[in-house]
Amino acid sequence: MIEKNIINKNTLNIRMLVLCGLFSALIVVGAMIKVPLPGIPFTLQTLFVILAGLLLGSRGGLIAVLVYIILGLAGLPVFSGGGGLMYVLKPSFGYLVGFALGAFVTGWVAEKNTSDGTVPMVIAALAGTAVIYALGLTWYYIIANYYLNTPVGAATLMMTGFVMTLPGDLIKIAVSVLLAKRLAPVIRQGMLTK
């Protein structure tokens, strides 16, 4: 995790803003790489969301995801199902909100860690992923049952939105932690050089 030691909490330097932009772009690319599953497509967005939290901290991770969401709501087709303001009424929009809060929580938990140890990074990534699932599944249930009037039971939703996607997300967590351990020293060195 780099932010806690590098920048003042009240300012964002240009390098951090560039990294936020880079991670926003990576999340867009992750949305385009998808494996269709029933209900919720499997994408690489969560890998880059968790990685943003681990490397950029709570503030940087949140900014990166918010930029991504704003671009999508402005009409750019950056979400896995397109874009536009009406995307808010899609069942999967809760996952996007979960991405923002998940990146923040991942970064916040990682900032509490004083080392770049693997176990604390995994805990941070699991915490962020839990937030993504909590918001995503809740929004999906509400929109499907009460707005779209296509009732989906809690058991079915848990099966398609959690049980079927959890193995892939655990792999993405492992990859994001491995990448964070390798990239943190490189990014930290770049942040320290003038």
Side-chain angles (χ1 to χ4, degrees), residues 8-131:
N8 180 339
K9 291 284 185 191
N10 297 323
T11 63
L12 285 175
N13 63 26
I14 298 212
R15 286 189 177 124
M16 182 56 75
L17 290 175
V18 168
L19 288 171
C20 290
L22 173 67
F23 273 95
S24 295
L26 287 171
I27 296 168
V28 170
V29 170
M32 301 306 138
I33 302 170
K34 56 187 164 187
V35 176
L37 294 174
I40 299 157
F42 174 85
T43 66
L44 292 182
Q45 290 165 296
T46 52
L47 182 139
F48 296 118
V49 166
I50 297 300
L51 192 58
L54 290 172
L55 290 174
L56 305 181
S58 58
R59 243 177 107 180
L62 177 64
I63 290 169
V65 177
L66 287 178
V67 167
Y68 165 71
I69 292 172
I70 290 168
L71 289 173
L73 291 177
L76 295 174
V78 297
F79 301 145
S80 63
L85 197 53
M86 293 305 292
Y87 206 85
V88 173
L89 299 175
K90 288 197 173 205
S92 61
F93 184 74
Y95 287 95
L96 297 175
V97 175
F99 289 167
L101 194 54
F104 179 84
V105 167
T106 300
W108 183 77
V109 172
E111 288 168 355
K112 300 299 176 198
N113 178 28
T114 57
S115 69
D116 287 333
T118 302
V119 173
M121 282 187 172
V122 169
I123 291 170
L126 286 170
T129 302
V131 168

Side-chain angles (χ1 to χ4, degrees), residues 1 18 22 36 38 43 54 63 65 67 91 96 116 131 140 144 148 150 162 164 171 173 178 186 190-192:
M1 216 300 296
V18 168
L22 173 67
T43 66
L54 290 172
I63 290 169
V65 177
V67 167
L96 297 175
D116 287 333
V131 168
Y140 195 100
L148 296 176
T150 55
F162 178 69
M164 290 177 60
I171 292 168
I173 286 171
L178 289 172
V186 173
M191 297 291 278
L192 291 173

